[in-house]
Amino acid sequence: TVQKTNSGTWKTQVFNLGGRIAARLGRASLALELGESRGATVWRAYQMTAGRLLHRLALAETVAKAASAARCEVVFLKSMAMHLTGVTATGTRDLADVDVLAEAGRRAALEDALRSGGFRTLDLRSRGESALGFFEPSWGSVDLHASVPGLRLAPGATFAGFADLQQAGLLAPAPGMGAMAWVPTRPVLAAQALAHGIGGHGFDPAHYQLLRMVADLVDLGFGGEGG
């Protein structure tokens, strides 16, 4: 939605889909459908999302270098995986942080490498997460996972870890991120989108709106005939 503030300016809010809408319609169509002022607001949301992506990509490269130094294989998850593989176009999906799945046996070495690089540890238990968070003021936040939340490869199994995905052939090299970095295949990305959207935030729409999950599934090719 696009709403007018008390000061008379326009802002986008609620669904956080401004970037996707702008990328699909283009600036001229936005102005035609929303008016010049509101259309410009949505277009700025697209530009700002693209700018944040460049910063998050630099953060991902920093993590990949730390993983290489620690000899720890990592998997970029969720938003970053979708961007690295070209599933999601630049400027269309916002990234609050970078989610990473670490190889179990070398995870401690990666944690040490991140701390040596100036990252400090964050306690994410208040958010109900099992991930270990790392934060560096210049780079931003990294959530380091031991498994993929909500994703099981068989009924009754524990959440899938790096070794599970690797053995099942569900990983592909992460483009431009070095030999130690991987991304999940599209079926895993789709399953994770469902687990994150419905299982993680199905009863918390104020924090994560399910239309974002639907948009991810469309980008992943599950839009049906004609998109």
Side-chain angles (χ1 to χ4, degrees), residues 21-139:
I21 293 169
R24 290 170 189 264
L25 288 180
R27 189 166 189 171
S29 294
L30 285 171
L32 182 64
E33 295 191 18
L34 297 176
E36 192 67 37
S37 179
R38 282 175 287 181
T41 296
V42 179
W43 187 256
R44 279 195 297 274
Y46 164 69
Q47 293 175 311
M48 292 174 66
T49 301
R52 283 190 291 271
L53 171 62
L54 294 177
H55 189 263
R56 299 295 184 265
L57 284 170
L59 173 57
E61 290 173 354
T62 299
V63 173
K65 289 177 182 177
S68 180
R71 292 182 288 111
C72 176
E73 296 192 84
V74 295
V75 182
F76 289 104
L77 302 172
K78 295 163 54 177
S79 300
M80 184 52 65
M82 294 178 69
H83 282 294
L84 289 175
T85 54
V87 169
T88 303
T90 300
T92 60
R93 194 190 196 286
D94 218 351
L95 288 83
D97 48 31
V98 173
D99 287 272
V100 178
L101 172 67
E103 177 188 3
R106 299 294 302 171
R107 179 176 173 175
L110 175 57
E111 293 174 9
D112 289 341
L114 289 171
R115 293 188 185 98
S116 297
F119 286 82
R120 62 183 178 87
T121 306
L122 298 174
D123 188 349
L124 303 180
R125 286 176 297 180
S126 62
R127 288 164 36 185
E129 297 187 18
S130 59
L132 184 62
F134 287 86
F135 176 77
E136 199 282 328
S138 300
W139 293 114

Side-chain angles (χ1 to χ4, degrees), residues 1-14 18 30-31 33-46 48:
T1 61
V2 185
Q3 294 184 347
K4 203 168 189 176
T5 65
N6 292 333
S7 62
T9 59
W10 296 98
K11 66 177 181 178
T12 56
Q13 60 178 12
V14 181
L30 285 171
E33 295 191 18
L34 297 176
E36 192 67 37
S37 179
R38 282 175 287 181
T41 296
V42 179
W43 187 256
R44 279 195 297 274
Y46 164 69
M48 292 174 66

Side-chain angles (χ1 to χ4, degrees), residues 75 101 148 151 153 160-171 184 188:
V75 182
L101 172 67
V148 184
L151 181 65
L153 300 188
F162 174 82
D164 300 314
L165 296 177
Q166 185 181 52
Q167 291 169 9
L170 295 173
L171 298 177
V188 176

